[in-house]
Amino acid sequence: MGVGSYVQSAKENVLDTVSTQAMLQREIQMSINIARARDSLQWYGGLYATFITGVSLAKISGKPVPAIAAVPAVIGGFMLTNMYDMAYGTKLQRIVKEAEYMIENERGRFPPPKQAMFAKKYTEEEKNVYANVGAVSTYWPGFLPWARKANEDTPVVLPKSKEEK
C-alpha cells in the first residue's frame, strides 16, 4: 500500500465522516422542525376547536354570531390543514423536491456574501443573476430619513425572467 493510496483512503474516510455528520445534523434539524409543527398543530388545533365550539354553541342556542366570525373559521381551517400537512403529510417531501429543483436549475439564487470563504465556488454568472437588485434597505421605507439610498453601482431593478434574457 503506497503513500498515495493511503492519502486517498484517509480523504475518503474524512469525507465519509463529514457527510455522515452533516446527514445526522440535517435529520436532527428536520425532526425538530416536524416536532415543532406537531406541537403547533396541537396548540392551534385546540384553540381552533375551542373557537369553533363556542361559535357553534352560540349559533345553536340562538345567540347572534357576528358574520366576521366566519373569517377566522375559514382561515383557521386552512392554517391547520397546512400545519397538518407539515406534521403528518407529504409537505416536507414536496419542499425537498422543490429545493432539489432550485439547486439544479436556480443556483444563481444562492450566492453568499462576497466575504464568505466559499464565495469563490460560485461562477461569475451565478453571482450576477441578480446583480441589479439592491439591498433590502434601498427599497423601503425610502421616505424615512435614515433609509439607505441606491447608488449607481446597485440600482433598484427587478431581475429579468429567463424568457426575457
Side-chain angles (χ1 to χ4, degrees), residues 51-70:
F51 172 74
I52 294 298
T53 301
V55 168
S56 299
L57 290 175
K59 195 72 171 165
I60 291 169
S61 67
K63 294 182 181 173
V65 176
I68 195 73

Side-chain angles (χ1 to χ4, degrees), residues 66-85:
I68 195 73
V71 173
V74 172
I75 292 173
F78 279 105
M79 180 186 76
L80 286 174
T81 303
N82 188 38
M83 284 183 185
Y84 178 86
D85 192 17

Side-chain angles (χ1 to χ4, degrees), residues 87-106:
Y88 297 102
T90 60
K91 183 178 185 119
L92 188 58
Q93 288 76 22
R94 295 190 314 269
I95 290 170
V96 167
K97 289 181 186 296
E98 185 66 20
E100 289 171 351
Y101 174 84
M102 290 170 62
I103 289 168
E104 292 172 1
N105 299 296
E106 299 176 23

Side-chain angles (χ1 to χ4, degrees), residues 1-2 5 13 33 39 41-43 49 69 76 80 91 96 109-110 118-119 125 154-155:
M1 182 173 193
S5 62
N13 286 340
N33 287 342
D39 181 62
L41 179 64
Q42 290 172 354
W43 280 97
L80 286 174
K91 183 178 185 119
V96 167
R109 291 184 175 274
F110 307 127
F118 51 86
E125 182 182 1
T154 58

